[in-house]
Amino acid sequence: MRVFDFATHGSYWVALLPEVILSLAAMVILMRDAFVRTGTASGGDGGDGRMSVDSLVTLYSIAGALIASLWLSDASGPPDAMIALDGFRVAADVILLGGGLLVVSLSRDYLSREGLRSPEFHALTLMALVGMMVLVAARDLILLFVGLELMSISVYVLTGFVRNNPRSSEASLKYFIVGAFASAFVVYGIALLYGATGTTRLATAAEMIAAGPAAGGGLLLVAGIGLFLIGFAFKIAAVPFHMWAPDAYEGAPTPVTSLMATGVKAAAFIALLRVLTVDLGGAADVWRSAVWWLAILTMIVPNLVALAQEDVKRMLAYSSVAHAGYLLVGVVAASELGRSASLFYLAAYTVVTAGSFAIVFHVAGKGDRNQRVQDYRGLGWRRPLLGAALFIFLLSLAGFPPTAGFVGKLYLLRAAVDAGETALAVTLVLTSLIAYYYYLRVVWKMYFEAAPEDARTPAPAKPGFNLVIGTCVALILLAGLFPGRIIDRARNALADPQPGNVAARISNPPAP
């Protein structure tokens, strides 16, 4: 086992090796764009050759970062370190980097079709991934905020990436304003948590909280946790802090929407899961009731609103908000089972959402013109493979067996029941039943309604696109049919106590 004492700067560089790899790749892409002029004139996509190189550099760097993360899986460090070296971080990195691989692999056709600049897109995507990974690895509130902002700023720019599209610019502006507002809550919450505990190190703060109300700061602690929770509720689009999500998802380029719905949501949720259930586990009485209500509202409201949506991207946006509610059930459970269930569900959700949005932008065509539910009429017969893949993705989102979505919901349901949260369990089941309508409505259009004579038939998908979609389908079905090994890996990832639940170790010290 590799042990890091963080006594030198070199230890930090090695502990952040995945992030370093991605950052260097982003710099290489930008330097190449600045000094190697090939392809079309400025403002174009740079030509297929340029796009191929950018895509390959991005894909190889993400693969390298994934290998580096797995290499760090047996590393450990001091409990009060700024950077986590544990199974939780490795599991989070696998989810984020896997989602990044899917988004980048599926975005090439979109960039070529829309004539968008490839270097900036890939560099910003890599920097967003760096921010996500720093966010989930942070064991210090200041570092956590740095990761949050790096991720957010990169995605703000990506949202408005189609500069000649007013919807994209509008979505970027709305996302920026709401994101800045949320960041202010997070900063103020961090300041109050520092005032309550006298430290920004999460492990030390956990010790202070476990020592009692007096050491934990009392009212300052409650206010700090409340503001911190509000800020992250904006980031994960929990009701009633979700109103930005449908507009941002609808107006952003579809690959960016996929990145927001998978990577951004996963990173913010994993950070919230660790901070609340591990580091602030000793203050569960403060945040549990608030998160309980967030979970209830986030499961009910978006599922009802999604019933009336005619735009598929907007429908999937409200679906994404509803899935945040399902994930919050694991936070309320605040147990090892709840955390592992949330990680499993996040992994399944990342794969199925990336695949779903890829099919959406392929069907929509140039300019994302065909993204209404009516545009899917007869798709299952006009493009059988594409329709079959979307059918499986929608079944997984709805929670039908034998898909990974069904296993994930079942796992979350068990965590809620074991924690005595019967109301959450019942709400999860009932809202999943409501969601069947708007998911199966798309399926009905694909297979049971004929397309009009003047309907545009989507172009045949390229082999690379089909390969990635097929991989997503296989992963969803394999995880649904044989979930045992993945669930065991999720449990093992959370069994490592470093930096771990310091509050629990103080409250329940080992026997002498």
Side-chain angles (χ1 to χ4, degrees), residues 49 85 136 145 171 194 199-200 256 260 267 331 337 361 368 385 409 427 457 490:
L85 289 169
V136 300
F145 182 72
Y194 175 78
T199 181
T200 58
V256 178
M260 286 194 288
V331 178
L337 179 60
F361 79 66
D368 288 337
L385 294 179
K409 286 186 178 179
T427 305
T457 299

Side-chain angles (χ1 to χ4, degrees), residues 36-330:
V36 181
R37 287 295 177 185
T38 60
T40 60
S42 178
D45 64 0
D48 290 339
R50 169 75 69 90
M51 188 173 295
S52 297
V53 172
D54 295 332
S55 299
L56 287 175
V57 171
T58 304
L59 291 172
Y60 284 143
S61 65
I62 294 176
L66 184 57
I67 294 171
S69 295
L70 296 175
W71 178 74
L72 290 170
S73 61
D74 64 344
S76 65
D80 60 346
M82 292 181 65
I83 301 168
L85 289 169
D86 56 12
F88 201 119
R89 176 190 173 187
V90 174
D93 284 352
V94 169
I95 293 172
L96 296 174
L97 292 170
L101 277 173
L102 291 175
V103 170
V104 173
S105 299
L106 294 167
S107 65
R108 180 179 174 182
D109 290 345
Y110 183 91
L111 295 174
S112 178
R113 186 186 77 194
E114 301 295 330
L116 299 176
R117 298 259 317 158
S118 175
E120 290 96 331
F121 178 87
H122 289 99
L124 286 167
T125 300
L126 288 173
M127 294 312 298
L129 281 173
V130 172
M132 295 173 199
M133 295 174 68
V134 170
L135 180 60
V136 300
R139 307 301 302 127
D140 183 274
L141 289 170
I142 303 300
L143 184 61
L144 181 145
F145 182 72
V146 170
L148 180 68
E149 286 304 286
L150 178 58
M151 173 188 75
S152 299
I153 292 171
S154 300
V155 179
Y156 297 155
V157 180
L158 283 170
T159 303
F161 200 71
V162 186
R163 298 180 181 90
N164 59 355
N165 186 339
R167 290 193 307 168
S168 182
S169 300
E170 178 187 353
S172 179
L173 181 61
K174 287 181 178 179
Y175 191 19
F176 169 73
I177 292 173
V178 175
F181 191 62
S183 296
F185 276 103
V186 174
V187 170
Y188 202 0
I190 289 173
L192 294 181
L193 286 172
Y194 175 78
T197 61
T199 181
T200 58
R201 295 292 176 92
L202 287 164
T204 308
E207 293 178 355
M208 297 292 294
I209 293 169
L219 185 59
L220 277 180
L221 177 66
V222 174
I225 292 176
L227 292 173
F228 185 87
L229 181 58
I230 290 173
F232 269 84
F234 275 107
K235 295 298 180 181
I236 65 173
V239 177
F241 310 105
H242 71 293
M243 297 308 295
W244 61 271
D247 291 337
Y249 282 31
E250 182 184 10
T254 309
V256 178
T257 303
S258 179
L259 183 66
M260 286 194 288
T262 56
V264 173
K265 184 180 289 291
F269 188 86
I270 290 170
L272 183 67
L273 183 68
R274 187 201 278 270
V275 171
L276 288 186
T277 66
V278 178
D279 302 301
L280 299 181
D285 292 342
V286 175
W287 55 259
R288 190 188 297 273
S289 60
V291 177
W292 189 94
W293 280 108
L294 284 177
I296 288 286
L297 292 174
T298 308
M299 285 189 285
I300 294 174
V301 174
N303 275 311
L304 294 176
V305 177
L307 295 174
Q309 300 306 310
E310 293 295 333
D311 186 286
V312 174
K313 280 180 70 175
R314 201 169 183 87
M315 183 200 76
L316 290 175
Y318 280 107
S319 165
S320 176
V321 176
H323 285 282
Y326 304 145
L327 288 163
L328 285 172
V329 173

